[in-house]
Amino acid sequence: MSFCHEQLTRLKPLWDRMLGHRFLIATRDGTMPDERFAVWMRQDYLFVEAAIPFIAALLAKAPREHWEPLAGVVTALEKELKLFEERAKAVGVTLRGALPSFTNHAYIQFLMATAYRGSYAEGYTVLYAAEKAYHDSWKVVQAGIDRNSKWHPFVENWAGDAFAQYVAYLEAQLDLLAAQAGPAERESMADYFELATKYEIAFWEMAATGDGWPGVD
Ligand code: MP5
């Protein structure tokens, strides 16, 4: 069994918990309050921004043949930031000025620490897990959301065919990296996969509750 398939099978209970999260279900069903969706927008905007230096740090450890694809990821992230800005303007959400919540801050630190301290394969594992999580999560939303919803452009971005192809590419590359890794590194990659999945669940939970920092607000 390929590495990704093995991890997605092993982590299915967690993955299912993520895909059943009330934030996704309410967004799909059109019952998500605008103010809560705006929490997710502000926080994810910061996350996507932080993903650019994460990719750059990964690129420094990447094999030559991954340079161009990773540079393409940076370009795609810049486009994504513009999508957030366009939607925010269209619906009257203020994106700027927000600070990362506790959960977002922790996830961003995890990304950077993994890219700097982990091996390339470990960093790539986190990249794949995060992208696959978003693709699958937004597929849940796509399955029922009104096509005229003001949030539909986000669905198109992450649930669409282009993103599906990108995730399939990452999956094939991660399987190759895992096949080249020794047993200890593969085990560590599995741990990173699980941690990234837990961060994804925590992120939806943070968006659903609107939590900032424990004990502070
Ligand atoms: C992604 C994201 C997808 N935007 N936010 C979280 C919390 N996880 C994953 O990554 P990208 O870089 O927007 O494609």
Side-chain angles (χ1 to χ4, degrees):
M1 199 193 283
S2 75
F3 175 76
C4 293
H5 195 118
E6 193 183 308
Q7 296 313 312
L8 292 167
T9 305
R10 180 177 74 88
L11 298 171
K12 191 169 187 308
L14 272 181
W15 208 261
D16 285 348
R17 186 180 276 239
M18 175 180 76
L19 299 184
H21 198 280
R22 66 191 183 287
F23 186 92
L24 299 174
I25 304 304
T27 303
R28 178 194 71 191
D29 296 345
T31 57
M32 173 60 64
D34 283 358
E35 192 32 55
R36 270 302 129 80
F37 198 85
V39 168
W40 169 79
M41 278 179 77
R42 286 188 203 100
Q43 291 298 323
D44 211 48
Y45 183 73
L46 292 169
F47 181 88
V48 173
E49 214 170 39
I52 294 174
F54 165 67
I55 298 293
L58 264 189
L59 197 143
K61 295 184 176 179
R64 177 69 183 96
E65 63 274 18
H66 278 196
W67 290 2
E68 194 175 352
L70 287 175
V73 177
V74 172
T75 306
L77 291 171
E78 289 285 7
K79 263 176 74 183
E80 226 168 62
L81 290 175
K82 291 189 176 65
L83 167 66
F84 276 90
E85 287 158 14
E86 180 277 321
R87 274 299 84 195
K89 196 160 177 228
V91 302
V93 167
T94 307
L95 280 183
R96 307 232 172 248
L99 292 172
S101 68
F102 182 63
T103 302
N104 197 8
H105 189 267
Y107 196 177
I108 289 169
Q109 296 305 309
F110 168 69
L111 288 186
M112 297 315 289
T114 306
Y116 281 114
R117 296 183 54 202
S119 67
Y120 181 64
E122 287 164 347
Y124 208 86
T125 301
V126 171
L127 172 63
Y128 169 73
E131 302 291 39
K132 170 76 172 156
Y134 249 43
H135 179 59
D136 287 5
S137 294
W138 285 96
K139 276 275 175 199
V140 169
V141 178
Q142 187 185 42
I145 194 171
D146 182 345
R147 279 202 58 85
N148 298 317
S149 160
K150 53 189 180 245
W151 312 128
H152 201 267
F154 291 117
V155 176
E156 280 166 17
N157 183 61
W158 285 295
D161 289 345
F163 202 81
Q165 276 174 32
Y166 162 57
V167 171
Y169 162 79
L170 291 178
E171 183 163 325
Q173 296 304 309
L174 184 58
D175 282 338
L176 282 174
L177 290 169
Q180 290 156 8
E185 188 177 22
R186 242 196 327 275
E187 206 174 303
S188 158
M189 289 163 72
D191 291 343
Y192 275 104
F193 204 119
E194 182 165 346
L195 272 171
T197 306
K198 288 176 176 165
Y199 269 116
E200 286 295 327
I201 295 170
F203 204 92
W204 291 129
E205 186 64 20
M206 174 271 299
T209 58
D211 283 348
W213 284 75
V216 175
D217 53 13

